[in-house]
Amino acid sequence: MIIESIITTVGPGGAAHIAPMGVIWRDSHPILAPFRPSTTLDNLRHSGSAVINHTDDVRVFAGCLTGRRDWPLKPAERIDGRVLQGALAHQELRVDRIEENEQRPRFHCRVVHEAAHGAFTGFNRAQGAVIEAAILVSRLHMLPRDKVERELAYLDIAVSKTAGPREREAWGWLTERIAAFYRNAAAESAR
Ligand SMILES: Cc1cc2nc3c(=O)[nH]c(=O)nc-3n(C[C@H](O)[C@H](O)[C@H](O)COP(=O)(O)O)c2cc1C
C-alpha cells in the first residue's frame, strides 16, 4: 500500500527539507523511494532519518510543487528531525537499510516514534483531486499535454463540486503552474 505523505528531512547544515512522497508500507515498515537526484535522497543518506507527516491540508502538497515550501515546522521527539505543525499525525523514522538502484534507491525504515495530533474528519473528493493534480505537475516534463488536460478536466469536476477554501487555493496554484509550463514550452518552440 502507498500512502501519499509529506516527508521532512534535515540536511548536513541543519536545514529542513519538505517534499510530498508516496510511502510504501510493508506490514508496519515504511519504505521511502526518492528519485535521483533529490534533496530528500541526499538528506536520507546523510542523516539516516526522516519524518512522515499526514495532513489534510492539501496546500502543503500543492505548495511544495509550486515553490511554496515554507510551512511551519516543529522539532521531532526522538530523532533530529522536523514535524509539520499542521500534521494530524506523524511517524519518526530511522533508516535500517538502503536498497541501491540507479533511478530510485529504496530506504527501508523503522518507526521509532509516532503521535496523533488531530482527528480524521472524513473524505473530501477535492483533496484527492488536488493530490492527483500535484502528481501531474511533478511529471509534466514526461506526460503528453492532451493526457494532462484530459485528467485536469476530470479532476476539476470534484474541485468545483466539493472544495473548501484550502482546496481551491491549492488548485489555483497547480493550474497556474501547468498553464505557465505550457506557455513557456510554446515560447521555447517559437524561438
Ligand atoms: C503525491 C506525490 C507523491 C510523490 N511521490 C514521490 C516519490 O515517491 N518519490 C519521489 O522521488 N518523488 C515523489 N514526488 C515528487 C516529489 O515531491 C518532488 O519531485 C520533490 O521535489 C522531490 O525532490 P526534492 O527532495 O529534491 O524536493 C511526489 C509528488 C507528489 C505530489
Side-chain angles (χ1 to χ4, degrees):
M1 189 180 194
I2 294 179
I3 302 289
E4 306 305 340
S5 311
I6 299 296
I7 303 301
T8 39
T9 51
V10 174
H17 185 73
I18 170 166
M21 287 218 171
V23 179
I24 305 159
W25 283 89
R26 288 262 169 82
D27 304 318
S28 51
H29 293 285
I31 301 169
L32 302 179
F35 282 101
R36 276 180 211 267
S38 66
T39 306
T40 302
L41 191 151
D42 295 344
N43 289 355
L44 278 166
R45 274 197 204 285
H46 159 78
S47 70
S49 59
V51 175
I52 304 176
N53 301 275
H54 303 287
T55 179
D56 59 358
D57 187 348
V58 289
R59 292 177 306 173
V60 185
F61 288 85
C64 288
L65 271 289
T66 56
R68 299 167 175 90
R69 290 189 190 249
D70 201 12
W71 299 95
L73 303 172
K74 60 185 181 187
E77 298 271 328
R78 299 277 169 82
I79 59 168
D80 178 19
R82 306 283 188 286
V83 176
L84 185 68
Q85 269 191 25
L88 295 175
H90 83 275
Q91 284 126 350
E92 300 179 13
L93 312 181
R94 284 206 193 285
V95 176
D96 274 337
R97 177 168 71 84
I98 306 175
E99 194 183 327
E100 293 296 349
N101 180 281
E102 291 248 322
Q103 279 190 328
R104 207 176 176 187
R106 287 180 162 221
F107 291 77
H108 294 255
C109 301
R110 138 179 62 97
V111 177
V112 295
H113 178 67
E114 61 190 324
H117 313 286
F120 171 62
T121 53
F123 295 110
N124 170 251
R125 290 177 61 203
Q127 289 170 357
V130 166
I131 289 171
E132 291 302 325
I135 292 172
L136 287 178
V137 166
S138 75
R139 296 180 183 164
L140 282 178
H141 54 289
M142 44 189 181
L143 292 175
R145 182 172 180 172
D146 64 326
K147 177 180 162 71
V148 172
E149 288 177 346
R150 234 183 5 256
E151 294 197 8
L152 265 192
Y154 177 70
L155 295 169
D156 187 59
I157 300 169
V159 174
S160 45
K161 284 189 177 166
T162 73
R166 295 191 308 193
E167 292 75 26
R168 267 195 294 277
E169 190 173 16
W171 185 254
W173 295 343
L174 294 170
T175 50
E176 259 167 38
R177 169 55 60 102
I178 294 168
F181 177 86
Y182 291 123
R183 258 199 322 273
N184 292 341
E188 283 284 314
S189 67
R191 232 183 259 161

